[in-house]
Amino acid sequence: GPWNSVSSSSELLLFDGRWKSVSSGAAEGGSYHRINGTRGGSAFMRYVGSNVKLVYPTGPQGGLADVFIDGREVGRISFWSDSVSFGHVSAFTGNSEGDHVLELRAINDMAYLDELQIDGVAYPVDAVFVETTVTHTGFMGPSVTDLQVHTIQFEVGPDVTNIRAQLAWDGLDDLDLYLKDVDGNTVAS
């Protein structure tokens, strides 16, 4: 699927420790974050998907950081290079599709973070996911000439980020499902 970018300045990231934002025309979005790893510190991101890429600069003061997904160490990144350069990528693939928390934990010297790319959607680290199942049953007309519309109303709060619907039927050739907003505009089908 498509990769979605999350800048290091995004409110979806949570920084623990003394991370600093650094302006740079070479960075995605014009800035990146750095921390002196000898003092410790981590960056966290929550996402629903399976694969994630970290994009970062390297330089002569670069150190090491470990990467954890759901508390399990999945790799180590070296931020060291002879000269400062941007656009380095470390990919962490093969995770199951679902809800994950990524942690970039600085170990020593300087650790950097420019952006994250995910094959899913990022959420605030403290987001709470709730799954609700509602089942409606009924009868629909047998043909276009007897077209019937069955409206099922439900409300969602402003903090809802995902609605998953399943339509199942027996004995019919065609049914369409439309999700409409309060003004009657189709927002998904």
Side-chain angles (χ1 to χ4, degrees):
W3 289 91
N4 295 309
S5 296
V6 178
S7 166
S8 68
S9 61
S10 171
E11 293 180 3
L12 296 173
L13 297 179
L14 174 67
F15 292 99
D16 178 45
R18 296 182 176 179
W19 289 85
K20 294 182 181 168
S21 179
V22 179
S23 296
S24 172
E28 295 293 326
S31 68
Y32 65 96
H33 277 74
R34 73 174 185 203
I35 189 169
N36 184 334
T38 57
R39 296 184 187 135
S42 294
F44 298 89
M45 181 187 71
R46 185 173 192 171
Y47 67 98
V48 173
S50 57
N51 302 309
V52 63
K53 299 177 187 176
L54 279 73
V55 182
Y56 50 89
T58 61
Q61 296 179 334
L64 298 171
D66 288 329
V67 178
F68 296 83
I69 296 179
D70 301 331
R72 182 178 57 88
E73 187 174 347
V74 294
R76 177 169 280 182
I77 297 175
S78 172
F79 300 100
W80 187 90
S81 64
D82 287 332
S83 60
V84 175
S85 63
F86 284 79
H88 298 272
V89 178
S90 290
F92 301 93
T93 60
N95 301 299
S96 62
E97 180 72 28
D99 175 25
H100 301 287
V101 174
L102 176 135
E103 177 186 2
L104 177 66
R105 186 182 301 166
I107 299 173
N108 63 13
D109 298 323
M110 299 303 285
Y112 308 105
L113 180 59
D114 191 356
E115 76 172 352
L116 295 109
Q117 298 174 352
I118 54 174
D119 67 346
V121 179
Y123 295 94
V125 173
D126 60 352
V128 176
F129 294 103
V130 177
E131 187 166 321
T132 303
T133 301
V134 177
T135 303
H136 295 276
T137 59
F139 176 77
M140 297 297 290
S143 69
V144 169
T145 58
D146 294 332
L147 179 65
Q148 292 184 11
V149 175
H150 185 82
T151 301
I152 300 170
Q153 294 185 353
F154 62 97
E155 292 185 30
V156 295
D159 57 344
V160 171
T161 58
N162 189 3
I163 297 173
R164 188 174 19 198
Q166 180 178 354
L167 180 63
W169 64 92
D170 291 323
L172 295 176
D173 292 329
D174 185 30
L175 271 179
D176 296 316
L177 174 68
Y178 297 96
L179 182 61
K180 298 190 174 215
D181 64 14
V182 293
D183 297 322
N185 300 312
T186 299
V187 295
S189 63

